[in-house]
mmCIF file of all heavy atoms in Angstrom:
data_model
loop_
_atom_site.group_PDB
_atom_site.id
_atom_site.type_symbol
_atom_site.label_atom_id
_atom_site.label_comp_id
_atom_site.label_asym_id
_atom_site.label_seq_id
_atom_site.Cartn_x
_atom_site.Cartn_y
_atom_site.Cartn_z
ATOM 1 N N GLU A 59 71.076 126.216 118.472
ATOM 2 C CA GLU A 59 70.623 124.827 118.428
ATOM 3 C C GLU A 59 71.571 123.855 119.138
ATOM 4 O O GLU A 59 71.129 122.806 119.589
ATOM 5 C CB GLU A 59 70.529 124.365 116.964
ATOM 6 C CG GLU A 59 69.559 125.139 116.125
ATOM 7 C CD GLU A 59 69.541 124.642 114.674
ATOM 8 O OE1 GLU A 59 70.166 123.601 114.396
ATOM 9 O OE2 GLU A 59 68.930 125.300 113.849
ATOM 10 N N ASP A 60 72.838 124.173 119.219
ATOM 11 C CA ASP A 60 73.854 123.254 119.711
ATOM 12 C C ASP A 60 74.425 123.737 121.042
ATOM 13 O O ASP A 60 74.237 124.876 121.446
ATOM 14 C CB ASP A 60 75.001 123.135 118.691
ATOM 15 C CG ASP A 60 74.518 122.800 117.286
ATOM 16 O OD1 ASP A 60 73.495 122.087 117.175
ATOM 17 O OD2 ASP A 60 75.159 123.248 116.331
ATOM 18 N N SER A 61 75.143 122.839 121.696
ATOM 19 C CA SER A 61 75.790 123.150 122.968
ATOM 20 C C SER A 61 77.245 122.706 122.898
ATOM 21 O O SER A 61 77.555 121.639 122.383
ATOM 22 C CB SER A 61 75.070 122.412 124.101
ATOM 23 O OG SER A 61 75.760 122.564 125.316
ATOM 24 N N LEU A 62 78.120 123.539 123.427
ATOM 25 C CA LEU A 62 79.554 123.234 123.455
ATOM 26 C C LEU A 62 80.068 123.684 124.818
ATOM 27 O O LEU A 62 79.824 124.814 125.247
ATOM 28 C CB LEU A 62 80.251 124.007 122.343
ATOM 29 C CG LEU A 62 81.746 123.874 122.186
ATOM 30 C CD1 LEU A 62 82.149 122.441 121.853
ATOM 31 C CD2 LEU A 62 82.245 124.825 121.104
ATOM 32 N N ARG A 63 80.755 122.788 125.531
ATOM 33 C CA ARG A 63 81.275 123.117 126.866
ATOM 34 C C ARG A 63 82.750 122.747 126.935
ATOM 35 O O ARG A 63 83.174 121.712 126.428
ATOM 36 C CB ARG A 63 80.543 122.361 127.958
ATOM 37 C CG ARG A 63 79.114 122.789 128.097
ATOM 38 C CD ARG A 63 78.410 121.957 129.159
ATOM 39 N NE ARG A 63 77.005 122.294 129.176
ATOM 40 C CZ ARG A 63 76.418 122.916 130.185
ATOM 41 N NH1 ARG A 63 77.105 123.238 131.257
ATOM 42 N NH2 ARG A 63 75.150 123.208 130.115
ATOM 43 N N PHE A 64 83.506 123.622 127.592
ATOM 44 C CA PHE A 64 84.921 123.380 127.828
ATOM 45 C C PHE A 64 85.130 123.311 129.340
ATOM 46 O O PHE A 64 84.667 124.163 130.074
ATOM 47 C CB PHE A 64 85.763 124.537 127.274
ATOM 48 C CG PHE A 64 85.561 124.768 125.796
ATOM 49 C CD1 PHE A 64 84.736 125.806 125.367
ATOM 50 C CD2 PHE A 64 86.187 123.986 124.860
ATOM 51 C CE1 PHE A 64 84.538 126.038 124.021
ATOM 52 C CE2 PHE A 64 85.995 124.212 123.509
ATOM 53 C CZ PHE A 64 85.169 125.234 123.083
ATOM 54 N N TYR A 65 85.814 122.282 129.780
ATOM 55 C CA TYR A 65 86.135 122.126 131.206
ATOM 56 C C TYR A 65 87.647 122.199 131.340
ATOM 57 O O TYR A 65 88.366 121.444 130.693
ATOM 58 C CB TYR A 65 85.616 120.792 131.751
ATOM 59 C CG TYR A 65 84.120 120.718 131.760
ATOM 60 C CD1 TYR A 65 83.427 120.193 130.671
ATOM 61 C CD2 TYR A 65 83.387 121.209 132.830
ATOM 62 C CE1 TYR A 65 82.044 120.138 130.668
ATOM 63 C CE2 TYR A 65 82.004 121.158 132.838
ATOM 64 C CZ TYR A 65 81.338 120.618 131.744
ATOM 65 O OH TYR A 65 79.977 120.571 131.736
ATOM 66 N N PHE A 66 88.118 123.118 132.179
ATOM 67 C CA PHE A 66 89.541 123.337 132.362
ATOM 68 C C PHE A 66 89.967 122.626 133.651
ATOM 69 O O PHE A 66 89.532 122.989 134.730
ATOM 70 C CB PHE A 66 89.846 124.823 132.444
ATOM 71 C CG PHE A 66 89.354 125.567 131.233
ATOM 72 C CD1 PHE A 66 88.125 126.193 131.249
ATOM 73 C CD2 PHE A 66 90.114 125.597 130.092
ATOM 74 C CE1 PHE A 66 87.650 126.851 130.134
ATOM 75 C CE2 PHE A 66 89.656 126.263 128.961
ATOM 76 C CZ PHE A 66 88.421 126.887 128.984
ATOM 77 N N LEU A 67 90.829 121.633 133.511
ATOM 78 C CA LEU A 67 91.209 120.832 134.661
ATOM 79 C C LEU A 67 92.591 121.186 135.205
ATOM 80 O O LEU A 67 92.906 120.836 136.317
ATOM 81 C CB LEU A 67 91.165 119.344 134.283
ATOM 82 C CG LEU A 67 89.779 118.864 133.824
ATOM 83 C CD1 LEU A 67 89.850 117.422 133.394
ATOM 84 C CD2 LEU A 67 88.748 119.060 134.907
ATOM 85 N N GLY A 68 93.419 121.845 134.450
ATOM 86 C CA GLY A 68 94.723 122.273 134.932
ATOM 87 C C GLY A 68 95.705 121.129 135.095
ATOM 88 O O GLY A 68 95.486 120.009 134.672
ATOM 89 N N ASP A 69 96.817 121.447 135.771
ATOM 90 C CA ASP A 69 97.895 120.478 135.948
ATOM 91 C C ASP A 69 97.509 119.301 136.837
ATOM 92 O O ASP A 69 98.095 118.236 136.732
ATOM 93 C CB ASP A 69 99.129 121.158 136.556
ATOM 94 C CG ASP A 69 99.725 122.165 135.590
ATOM 95 O OD1 ASP A 69 99.517 122.043 134.373
ATOM 96 O OD2 ASP A 69 100.409 123.085 136.068
ATOM 97 N N GLN A 70 96.565 119.500 137.720
ATOM 98 C CA GLN A 70 96.185 118.452 138.664
ATOM 99 C C GLN A 70 94.917 117.719 138.208
ATOM 100 O O GLN A 70 94.127 117.277 139.024
ATOM 101 C CB GLN A 70 95.966 119.059 140.061
ATOM 102 C CG GLN A 70 97.185 119.775 140.607
ATOM 103 C CD GLN A 70 98.369 118.845 140.762
ATOM 104 O OE1 GLN A 70 98.223 117.722 141.208
ATOM 105 N NE2 GLN A 70 99.541 119.305 140.363
ATOM 106 N N TRP A 71 94.753 117.564 136.897
ATOM 107 C CA TRP A 71 93.521 116.972 136.366
ATOM 108 C C TRP A 71 93.253 115.571 136.905
ATOM 109 O O TRP A 71 92.122 115.224 137.181
ATOM 110 C CB TRP A 71 93.552 116.943 134.828
ATOM 111 C CG TRP A 71 94.612 116.035 134.286
ATOM 112 C CD1 TRP A 71 95.903 116.370 133.991
ATOM 113 C CD2 TRP A 71 94.490 114.655 133.997
ATOM 114 N NE1 TRP A 71 96.590 115.289 133.532
ATOM 115 C CE2 TRP A 71 95.745 114.203 133.517
ATOM 116 C CE3 TRP A 71 93.450 113.734 134.070
ATOM 117 C CZ2 TRP A 71 95.969 112.901 133.138
ATOM 118 C CZ3 TRP A 71 93.685 112.428 133.690
ATOM 119 C CH2 TRP A 71 94.933 112.028 133.228
ATOM 120 N N ALA A 72 94.290 114.771 137.101
ATOM 121 C CA ALA A 72 94.086 113.394 137.567
ATOM 122 C C ALA A 72 93.495 113.369 138.970
ATOM 123 O O ALA A 72 92.674 112.518 139.297
ATOM 124 C CB ALA A 72 95.391 112.620 137.515
ATOM 125 N N ALA A 73 93.911 114.303 139.806
ATOM 126 C CA ALA A 73 93.395 114.353 141.175
ATOM 127 C C ALA A 73 91.967 114.898 141.219
ATOM 128 O O ALA A 73 91.260 114.708 142.194
ATOM 129 C CB ALA A 73 94.312 115.219 142.039
ATOM 130 N N ARG A 74 91.530 115.558 140.158
ATOM 131 C CA ARG A 74 90.204 116.171 140.122
ATOM 132 C C ARG A 74 89.188 115.373 139.326
ATOM 133 O O ARG A 74 88.070 115.824 139.117
ATOM 134 C CB ARG A 74 90.283 117.572 139.514
ATOM 135 C CG ARG A 74 91.058 118.522 140.374
ATOM 136 C CD ARG A 74 90.968 119.897 139.781
ATOM 137 N NE ARG A 74 92.194 120.599 140.053
ATOM 138 C CZ ARG A 74 92.556 121.703 139.463
ATOM 139 N NH1 ARG A 74 91.789 122.232 138.544
ATOM 140 N NH2 ARG A 74 93.678 122.282 139.777
ATOM 141 N N SER A 75 89.572 114.227 138.838
ATOM 142 C CA SER A 75 88.629 113.412 138.070
ATOM 143 C C SER A 75 88.610 111.993 138.601
ATOM 144 O O SER A 75 89.596 111.497 139.139
ATOM 145 C CB SER A 75 88.982 113.431 136.583
ATOM 146 O OG SER A 75 90.229 112.822 136.372
ATOM 147 N N GLU A 76 87.475 111.366 138.434
ATOM 148 C CA GLU A 76 87.309 109.981 138.867
ATOM 149 C C GLU A 76 86.495 109.286 137.782
ATOM 150 O O GLU A 76 85.543 109.848 137.264
ATOM 151 C CB GLU A 76 86.561 109.950 140.188
ATOM 152 C CG GLU A 76 86.384 108.575 140.764
ATOM 153 C CD GLU A 76 85.753 108.596 142.138
ATOM 154 O OE1 GLU A 76 86.016 109.548 142.909
ATOM 155 O OE2 GLU A 76 84.975 107.682 142.411
ATOM 156 N N HIS A 77 86.890 108.079 137.438
ATOM 157 C CA HIS A 77 86.220 107.375 136.351
ATOM 158 C C HIS A 77 85.837 105.976 136.798
ATOM 159 O O HIS A 77 86.593 105.327 137.522
ATOM 160 C CB HIS A 77 87.142 107.287 135.136
ATOM 161 C CG HIS A 77 86.559 106.452 134.048
ATOM 162 N ND1 HIS A 77 86.830 105.116 133.919
ATOM 163 C CD2 HIS A 77 85.685 106.746 133.072
ATOM 164 C CE1 HIS A 77 86.161 104.637 132.906
ATOM 165 N NE2 HIS A 77 85.454 105.603 132.364
ATOM 166 N N HIS A 78 84.669 105.509 136.343
ATOM 167 C CA HIS A 78 84.209 104.149 136.615
ATOM 168 C C HIS A 78 83.692 103.557 135.322
ATOM 169 O O HIS A 78 83.027 104.228 134.552
ATOM 170 C CB HIS A 78 83.082 104.153 137.659
ATOM 171 C CG HIS A 78 83.500 104.775 138.932
ATOM 172 N ND1 HIS A 78 84.138 104.099 139.936
ATOM 173 C CD2 HIS A 78 83.390 106.055 139.373
ATOM 174 C CE1 HIS A 78 84.385 104.905 140.935
ATOM 175 N NE2 HIS A 78 83.962 106.109 140.618
ATOM 176 N N GLY A 79 83.980 102.305 135.048
ATOM 177 C CA GLY A 79 83.490 101.664 133.845
ATOM 178 C C GLY A 79 84.543 101.588 132.765
ATOM 179 O O GLY A 79 85.723 101.758 132.990
ATOM 180 N N ILE A 80 84.066 101.373 131.523
ATOM 181 C CA ILE A 80 84.988 101.176 130.398
ATOM 182 C C ILE A 80 85.635 102.481 129.974
ATOM 183 O O ILE A 80 85.192 103.562 130.342
ATOM 184 C CB ILE A 80 84.268 100.512 129.201
ATOM 185 C CG1 ILE A 80 83.184 101.441 128.642
ATOM 186 C CG2 ILE A 80 83.710 99.175 129.570
ATOM 187 C CD1 ILE A 80 82.624 100.946 127.332
ATOM 188 N N LYS A 81 86.679 102.378 129.199
ATOM 189 C CA LYS A 81 87.413 103.490 128.623
ATOM 190 C C LYS A 81 87.949 104.445 129.680
ATOM 191 O O LYS A 81 87.482 105.565 129.824
ATOM 192 C CB LYS A 81 86.570 104.242 127.617
ATOM 193 C CG LYS A 81 87.385 104.512 126.387
ATOM 194 C CD LYS A 81 86.596 104.858 125.200
ATOM 195 C CE LYS A 81 87.621 105.090 124.164
ATOM 196 N NZ LYS A 81 87.308 105.780 123.062
#
Side-chain angles (χ1 to χ4, degrees):
E59 299 179 9
D60 308 328
S61 173
L62 179 63
R63 293 177 186 248
F64 302 101
Y65 294 92
F66 304 95
L67 301 176
D69 293 337
Q70 301 299 317
W71 65 271
R74 294 186 213 166
S75 65
E76 183 175 326
H77 174 266
H78 302 274
I80 64 170
K81 225 162 180 199

